[in-house]
Amino acid sequence: MGKAEAVEEEKKPFSTVQQESSLWNKFLMFMLSPADPSNLAVLRIAFGLLMMTDIPQERGMLYIDAHFGGDTCHFPLFNFIKPLPVDWMHVVYLIMFLGACGIFLGFMFRLSCLSFMVTYWYMFLLEKSRWNNHSYLYGLFSVMLLLSDADCYWSVDGILNPKIKNSHVPKWNYVLLRFQVFLVYFYAGLKKIDMDWMTGYSMTGLSRQWVFDPFRSFLDDESIDLYLVHLGGLFFDLFEGFLLIFNKTRPIGIFFGAMFHGMNSQMFHIGMFSYTMLATLLLFCAYDWPKKFFSCLPTFMNTILPSREEPQGSAHCVYQESVQGTTNGKEQSKEQKISKKSRMPTVKQKAFVFITLAYIGIQLFLPYSHFVSKGYNAWTQGLYGYSWDMMVHSWSTQHVRVKVVDQVSGEVTYIRPSAWLREQRQSRWNSHPDMIKQYMTCMAEKLKAHPDLNITQPAIYLDVWRSMNRRFQQRMVDPNVDMVTAPWSPFKKTPWIQPLLTELSPWREKLVQIRKELKEKSNFSEITFVADFPGLLLENFVAEELNTSLTLLHGKVKVEFNNKNHTVEVGEEISIPSNDTHVVYTVSDQPSCWMYIFTNTTEWNNETIRNWILHPETSPSQQKKMALKNLTTLENFRLFTLDKFFVFRQTFLNTCYALAHLTSGIEPEYEDEEDDGYSSEQKTGHEGNQDETSSNDDDTGHVGDSGEPRDQGAERTESLRGKEQQKQEL
């Protein structure tokens, strides 16, 4: 028999033998070789359960009426994507939720994955302003699970179809998912190789979180921010994926991964992301680790646990050895026939491997594709969400002014920037040129349709003042360009975006020192650092209760107030009148920068508020925080459970109202409250929205009826009103 096989081997052409032993065939056989399905099933169950929890709140199912009701503007990736009527949006969300349930149960798995994937990506592409890395990752998981055989273990489909119950899955299922998780860590680390991150300017203030209390005995807050948050985060992201890949280092990777994501779950309100990443840590363990774990459990639990036996053969895998049957000869012959057929890859199996490689190639390229999609670049590269530059950029918005000129009558009108927005999360629009263009185009249409304004040909001029990573507040958009007619292309650099003044970045260390010195002198003063381009001007209104001074740090400016011009040299300080508008002209050939110092006299003169500021622990808000902090674990769990219960209850009541309206015409009685951007995903702590940290949100840039920007101390003034209200309640 051996000689006959040798003769047959000799008769094969050399090219065929070479092809069979090629690296490609070895790779193909590896990708299609069988693996235990139990590890994949655990990830499927965890993902489905977490998405069921995520959809009502973080995905916005509770706030459908607030997000999509009324006359508002949206930011779709492609302009032809439009939101459906509110009732039908409830149907979309319901399909998404049922898809997540099907993924969790492993019931009608392909249809469930498809239902979840289509509706999820529709919602994702409908609103760019709400993108972040983890919402993008959820969409990718839906695609990968659709391609996989994750329903072959511990699933309803396995009960209904014994042929797939506890059957092998091809290894490319694991390769695809493990690659994606590895990429999340590694690319996040590569993106953090940035001077802003490595010098500690991307995120500040996290050291005050209680999770860092064990380190306070030997590190101060600044050291915690720099060494643990920034440098520690950099090294964790760079090496965590490698630690998880190798058997000997995997326990270390799981330990640090669990610590990292556990701390994130306490510091940031980012929905289910931390728990999803915790679930993916076990994906790198042995394929059959759940079965080994189940075998350690008491025997009385066997009735509710899945099978711990070896998996049966699958037509989706390629076997190098025959899968022998264990029953009578007839059935054994059938099993051998199937196994022989499964020893060579089919066209369908090869196609899935090609799809896997194509997916890997796209994911490797997309985060660095910004040289192609130049129109989406501004101070940062591309849209936030698919680049894995998590927490690298923090933002502060000073003010946003929208000036509308009727080109027919010449009349000037100032519009509140969030006039046609329904949630604070959409304040991200003023950071990205594509969304600026979309919103200004939408606003122009709304203005022309507004019956009271009588504007037929609006020209809209936008003035956005922002700071990135603790730099000076500066203009982001050319205020002299009409945004309605301004050019924009996804493949060309946007000409009306002002460059980031990186030449002033070395000032940041000095700005931190100035801010610290001012804080030591007075708790009633605030400071704002501003920079502007040559030839431009800043109009600024100072509220009546603020004593304000301007000090020039660099360049040369003229300040106009009371119909007089005052030339200011470097180091010179002048007083700015209150309850009036002043204009700052940059007259030097290079950018100028200066600082405002605001002192709130109302706070100082109010004894109660003064005591609250000098002794924060006596303020009602701090007392409330302390009361919540002192709650027992059982009380915290009770509050958490009640909160989730009412979220789910109201979500599905609203869905029932919508279905009743669609089917029988009964008018819905939605009871949801407009979330105003305060759903738990949107309160993303310091990183800001996993994209942006705005110390002042879009509302601080609202323009009043007079057309003047709100004063620099607006946030403090609003805080004062809140304190006055608290005093009255007391």
Side-chain angles (χ1 to χ4, degrees), residues 127 212 276 319 413 434 484 514 534 580 622 669 681 684 692:
E127 197 62 77
F212 293 108
T276 302
Y319 297 88
T413 305
D434 56 304
V484 179
I514 294 173
D580 196 5
Q622 287 297 322
E669 300 177 1
E681 177 189 324
T684 48
E692 301 172 349

Side-chain angles (χ1 to χ4, degrees), residues 71-203:
D71 188 21
T72 59
C73 296
H74 296 276
F75 301 93
L77 180 60
F78 306 106
N79 289 328
F80 64 83
I81 302 177
K82 304 292 183 182
L84 300 174
V86 171
D87 289 341
W88 284 105
M89 292 303 293
H90 279 277
V91 175
V92 170
Y93 270 95
L94 180 61
I95 294 173
M96 189 195 307
F97 183 84
L98 293 177
C101 294
I103 293 172
F104 169 69
L105 296 172
F107 176 62
M108 302 179 68
F109 181 66
R110 302 291 181 197
L111 180 60
S112 296
C113 284
L114 186 64
S115 300
F116 178 84
M117 183 189 73
V118 171
T119 52
Y120 187 93
W121 280 102
Y122 166 70
M123 297 302 305
F124 184 80
L125 298 177
L126 181 62
E127 197 62 77
K128 287 182 295 186
S129 65
R130 306 184 76 234
W131 283 13
N132 50 40
N133 290 283
H134 57 270
S135 59
Y136 174 62
L137 182 63
Y138 296 158
L140 295 181
F141 269 121
S142 70
V143 175
M144 292 184 289
L145 286 175
L146 176 65
L147 297 173
S148 73
D149 294 327
D151 61 333
C152 291
Y153 188 76
W154 211 354
S155 66
V156 176
D157 286 347
I159 297 174
L160 300 177
N161 184 6
K163 291 183 179 180
I164 68 169
K165 184 177 182 180
N166 192 23
S167 62
H168 284 126
V169 298
K171 282 184 180 177
W172 65 260
N173 285 202
Y174 286 101
V175 170
L176 188 63
L177 288 160
R178 288 174 174 177
F179 161 80
Q180 184 61 72
V181 176
F182 173 87
L183 197 71
V184 171
Y185 289 116
F186 187 61
Y187 268 19
L190 292 180
K191 298 286 184 172
K192 287 181 174 65
I193 302 177
D194 177 270
M195 285 306 298
D196 281 4
W197 181 272
M198 292 191 294
T199 52
Y201 288 109
S202 292
M203 301 182 68

Side-chain angles (χ1 to χ4, degrees), residues 395-404 413-419 421 424 426-432 435-436 439-440 443 460-467 473-477 479 483 538-540 692 694 696-704 707-712 714:
W395 300 84
S396 171
T397 303
Q398 193 62 33
H399 75 249
V400 180
R401 185 175 70 172
V402 180
K403 175 183 175 182
V404 179
T413 305
Y414 290 88
I415 303 297
R416 183 166 52 90
S418 60
L421 302 177
Q424 286 184 349
Q426 290 180 318
S427 65
R428 192 185 296 176
W429 66 270
N430 55 44
S431 299
H432 303 278
M435 286 192 272
I436 290 175
Y439 188 40
M440 294 297 100
M443 182 179 288
I460 304 178
Y461 300 91
L462 185 65
D463 200 11
V464 178
W465 288 81
R466 305 203 79 185
S467 167
Q473 293 282 344
Q474 66 157 94
R475 278 192 170 93
M476 192 167 192
V477 177
M483 290 292 106
L538 167 66
E539 293 180 290
N540 192 19
E692 301 172 349
S694 295
N696 302 324
D697 58 34
D698 183 60
D699 286 342
T700 63
H702 291 182
V703 177
E708 297 168 337
R710 286 178 59 176
D711 60 87
Q712 308 275 8

Side-chain angles (χ1 to χ4, degrees), residues 475-726:
R475 278 192 170 93
M476 192 167 192
V477 177
D478 189 338
N480 300 315
V481 174
D482 176 13
M483 290 292 106
V484 179
T485 59
W488 181 82
S489 168
F491 306 111
K492 295 180 180 179
K493 183 180 178 180
T494 306
W496 37 267
I497 291 292
Q498 298 283 52
L500 182 65
L501 294 173
T502 53
E503 64 269 27
L504 299 177
S505 296
W507 275 86
R508 285 183 292 187
E509 186 175 351
K510 186 174 182 179
L511 302 187
V512 171
Q513 186 63 32
I514 294 173
R515 195 182 298 274
K516 185 184 297 184
E517 292 174 356
L518 179 66
K519 188 175 181 180
E520 292 174 353
K521 292 179 181 178
S522 173
N523 288 326
F524 300 89
S525 298
E526 289 189 352
I527 190 167
T528 299
F529 299 100
V530 182
D532 203 4
F533 295 91
L536 297 181
L537 59 90
L538 167 66
E539 293 180 290
N540 192 19
F541 177 79
V542 178
E544 183 177 2
E545 66 271 13
L546 297 178
N547 286 339
T548 306
S549 66
L550 182 152
T551 303
L552 186 64
L553 302 175
H554 180 71
K556 187 176 181 180
V557 300
K558 287 185 178 180
V559 183
E560 178 185 344
F561 54 85
N562 297 332
N563 296 321
K564 294 182 180 179
N565 284 331
H566 306 267
T567 301
V568 185
E569 302 292 342
V570 174
E572 184 179 351
E573 177 182 346
I574 63 170
S575 296
I576 304 296
S578 301
N579 197 28
D580 196 5
T581 298
H582 65 277
V583 184
V584 183
Y585 301 89
T586 296
V587 295
S588 55
D589 296 332
Q590 54 188 339
S592 61
C593 50
W594 64 92
M595 66 179 181
Y596 287 106
I597 297 179
F598 306 95
T599 302
N600 196 313
T601 57
T602 304
E603 290 183 350
W604 175 256
N605 294 329
N606 188 306
E607 182 179 356
T608 302
I609 296 176
R610 184 169 69 247
N611 289 333
W612 287 348
I613 294 175
L614 294 175
H615 307 285
E617 67 278 1
T618 63
S619 66
S621 60
Q622 287 297 322
Q623 291 177 357
K624 183 178 180 180
K625 288 181 180 179
M626 290 302 298
L628 291 174
K629 189 176 181 179
N630 293 331
L631 291 176
T632 64
T633 303
L634 184 61
E635 289 171 332
N636 275 317
F637 178 75
R638 176 177 173 273
L639 289 176
F640 173 82
T641 305
L642 285 175
D643 175 64
K644 293 302 178 184
F645 168 75
F646 285 114
V647 166
F648 274 80
R649 173 185 175 274
Q650 193 57 57
T651 296
F652 291 104
L653 279 177
N654 292 345
T655 302
C656 290
Y657 294 149
L659 294 177
H661 186 234
L662 286 172
T663 56
S664 59
I666 300 175
E667 285 298 324
E669 300 177 1
Y670 300 121
E671 298 178 12
D672 58 348
E673 297 179 359
E674 184 173 338
D675 72 325
D676 292 328
Y678 286 105
S679 67
S680 61
E681 177 189 324
Q682 294 162 355
K683 295 186 291 185
T684 48
H686 182 85
E687 181 221 358
N689 315 315
Q690 272 272 63
D691 168 18
E692 301 172 349
T693 305
S694 295
S695 60
N696 302 324
D697 58 34
D698 183 60
D699 286 342
T700 63
H702 291 182
V703 177
D705 296 334
S706 64
E708 297 168 337
R710 286 178 59 176
D711 60 87
Q712 308 275 8
E715 184 180 19
R716 193 67 172 264
T717 304
E718 290 180 357
S719 175
L720 171 63
R721 292 171 184 160
K723 292 172 183 175
E724 290 280 8
Q725 183 178 358
Q726 289 175 343

Side-chain angles (χ1 to χ4, degrees), residues 305-544:
L305 293 176
S307 171
R308 288 171 288 181
E309 298 177 356
E310 287 295 316
Q312 62 175 327
S314 170
H316 295 170
C317 301
V318 174
Y319 297 88
Q320 296 183 3
E321 297 180 359
S322 298
V323 180
Q324 299 293 332
T326 57
T327 54
N328 58 56
K330 185 176 180 180
E331 292 180 351
Q332 183 174 350
S333 175
K334 182 179 179 181
E335 289 293 325
Q336 287 180 336
K337 185 177 180 180
I338 294 175
S339 66
K340 288 179 181 178
K341 186 178 179 181
S342 300
R343 293 181 66 180
M344 294 298 295
T346 64
V347 174
K348 182 179 179 180
Q349 290 170 333
K350 291 179 180 179
F352 274 106
V353 175
F354 276 114
I355 291 172
T356 301
L357 294 177
Y359 176 92
I360 290 174
I362 291 171
Q363 292 304 314
L364 287 171
F365 171 74
L366 200 58
Y368 288 96
S369 63
H370 308 306
F371 67 93
V372 177
S373 54
K374 296 179 182 178
Y376 297 96
N377 300 339
W379 292 353
T380 59
Q381 296 294 302
L383 289 169
Y384 187 79
Y386 62 86
S387 298
W388 308 119
D389 50 350
M390 293 170 281
M391 304 184 181
V392 176
H393 306 112
S394 60
W395 300 84
S396 171
T397 303
Q398 193 62 33
H399 75 249
V400 180
R401 185 175 70 172
V402 180
K403 175 183 175 182
V404 179
V405 178
D406 187 347
Q407 299 186 77
V408 176
S409 65
E411 183 179 355
V412 176
T413 305
Y414 290 88
I415 303 297
R416 183 166 52 90
S418 60
W420 282 282
L421 302 177
R422 293 296 296 271
E423 50 177 315
Q424 286 184 349
R425 183 60 177 270
Q426 290 180 318
S427 65
R428 192 185 296 176
W429 66 270
N430 55 44
S431 299
H432 303 278
D434 56 304
M435 286 192 272
I436 290 175
K437 180 63 178 179
Q438 280 181 309
Y439 188 40
M440 294 297 100
T441 302
C442 178
M443 182 179 288
E445 296 299 323
K446 303 294 185 185
L447 289 169
K448 288 188 284 187
H450 200 288
D452 298 329
L453 295 178
N454 194 27
I455 298 176
T456 56
Q457 296 183 27
I460 304 178
Y461 300 91
L462 185 65
D463 200 11
V464 178
W465 288 81
R466 305 203 79 185
S467 167
M468 188 181 81
N469 292 345
R470 307 186 75 184
R471 290 178 174 86
F472 286 95
Q473 293 282 344
Q474 66 157 94
R475 278 192 170 93
M476 192 167 192
V477 177
D478 189 338
N480 300 315
V481 174
D482 176 13
M483 290 292 106
V484 179
T485 59
W488 181 82
S489 168
F491 306 111
K492 295 180 180 179
K493 183 180 178 180
T494 306
W496 37 267
I497 291 292
Q498 298 283 52
L500 182 65
L501 294 173
T502 53
E503 64 269 27
L504 299 177
S505 296
W507 275 86
R508 285 183 292 187
E509 186 175 351
K510 186 174 182 179
L511 302 187
V512 171
Q513 186 63 32
I514 294 173
R515 195 182 298 274
K516 185 184 297 184
E517 292 174 356
L518 179 66
K519 188 175 181 180
E520 292 174 353
K521 292 179 181 178
S522 173
N523 288 326
F524 300 89
S525 298
E526 289 189 352
I527 190 167
T528 299
F529 299 100
V530 182
D532 203 4
F533 295 91
L536 297 181
L537 59 90
L538 167 66
E539 293 180 290
N540 192 19
F541 177 79
V542 178
E544 183 177 2

